[in-house]
């Protein structure tokens, strides 16, 4: 890894290592080096520019959740030769974390509830010169607020009020407020990423019969709101409920990585978007007509078991997908006068 501290053995070691360094070892000031100047961090809840603002947000989160731990589950990554320089290699990583924390102090989530929460984060990071220089992140906010005892729809409405009302509140990410960053590539052409992208494209085209052809019958599923499911039925219910709520929205796969590693199953990571009107009954209740932008990240593990799938190849054995349901509700509230 040219241009990186030699203590980092590889991309997963760097990503998991700096995450622990910043959040658990309390080396928050290292963000001045670990996050490049001008860094853009996009999440469904907001777009944050520059590492100074990231430092402030990090300190606010740790003040509210002092015992927060971030446990790395996986890092799916690819080379980025176009982003490399004369002195540094470049990569794009998509990593998956389980976070545990106690809501111990007042902050963005309101007065302390004392509740212990556990939730996932999926994040894509472009890295070079020993730093992250572009990032996309999805946190399972609905899992957090549900474990605190709140309904995500009501909590999102209350957040708008606590942030000063519809005019003053932090606006969720959408194409109008997104900031173009330096990473513009779309991943790699590894077969596993291409196969997973084809599966999700088929689902979003309403070809739901791709699920029994492409997912193992005993597939293990991890979806928003901390939902853990099994089998074709749970996969169908999640994807159907999402697409049905936004039947005419434009679906785009923004980034694809496929990867093979020793001692690991073949894996894939997708970053995708869904942009359009809340025009149907589905995961978000009565249609409101609100224009909604959704950023999602999905990971999948493949493996052979009890036969093969539609392509005569191993099927999806585990799937992890995150969207931020509170950011979706916030967009709906802001366009419906806070009545939904």
């Amino acid at each position: 890894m040219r241009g990186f501290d030699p203590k980092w053995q590889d991309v997963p070691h760097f990503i998991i290592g700096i995450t622990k360094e910043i959040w658990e070892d309390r080396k928050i000031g290292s963000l001045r080096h670990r996050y490049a100047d001008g860094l853009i961090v996009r999440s469904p809840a907001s777009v944050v520019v520059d590492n100074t603002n990231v430092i402030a947000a990090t300190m606010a989160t740790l003040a509210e959740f002092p015992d927060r731990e971030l446990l790395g589950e996986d890092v799916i990554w690819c080379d980025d030769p176009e982003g490399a320089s004369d002195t540094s290699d470049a990569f794009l990583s998509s990593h998956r974390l389980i976070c545990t924390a106690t809501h111990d102090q007042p902050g963005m989530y309101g007065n302390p509830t004392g509740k212990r929460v556990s939730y996932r984060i999926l994040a894509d990071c472009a890295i070079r010169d020993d730093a992250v220089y572009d990032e996309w992140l999805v946190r399972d906010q609905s899992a957090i607020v549900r474990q605190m005892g709140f309904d995500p729809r009501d909590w999102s409405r209350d957040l708008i009020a606590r942030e000063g009302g519809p005019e003053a509140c932090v606006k969720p990410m959408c194409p109008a407020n997104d900031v173009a960053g330096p990473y513009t590539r779309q991943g790699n052409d590894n077969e596993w990423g291409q196969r997973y992208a084809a599966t999700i494209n088929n689902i979003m085209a309403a070809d739901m019969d791709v699920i029994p052809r492409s997912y193992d019958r005993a597939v293990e599923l991890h979806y928003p709101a901390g939902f853990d499911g099994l089998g074709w039925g749970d996969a169908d219910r999640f994807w159907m409920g999402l697409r049905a709520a936004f039947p005419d929205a434009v679906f785009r796969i923004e980034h694809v990585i496929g990867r093979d590693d020793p001692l690991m199953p073949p894996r894939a990571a997708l970053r995708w978007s869904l942009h359009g009107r809340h025009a149907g009954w589905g995961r978000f209740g009565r249609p409101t007509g609100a224009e909604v932008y959704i950023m999602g990240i999905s990971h999948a593990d493949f493996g052979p078991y009890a036969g093969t799938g539609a392509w005569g190849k191993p099927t999806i054995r585990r799937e992890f997908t995150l969207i931020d349901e509170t950011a979706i509700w916030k967009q709906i509230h802001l366009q419906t006068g806070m009545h939904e």
Side-chain angles (χ1 to χ4, degrees), residues 267-280:
R267 283 125 60 228
L270 303 181
R271 186 173 73 251
W272 49 269
S273 63
L274 195 59
H275 186 198
R277 297 285 174 184
H278 178 215

Side-chain angles (χ1 to χ4, degrees), residues 207-221:
D207 294 329
M208 304 305 292
D209 62 326
V210 76
I211 289 175
R213 291 187 287 119
S214 302
Y215 289 69
D216 189 271
R217 187 165 176 263
V219 62
E220 178 185 318
L221 305 162

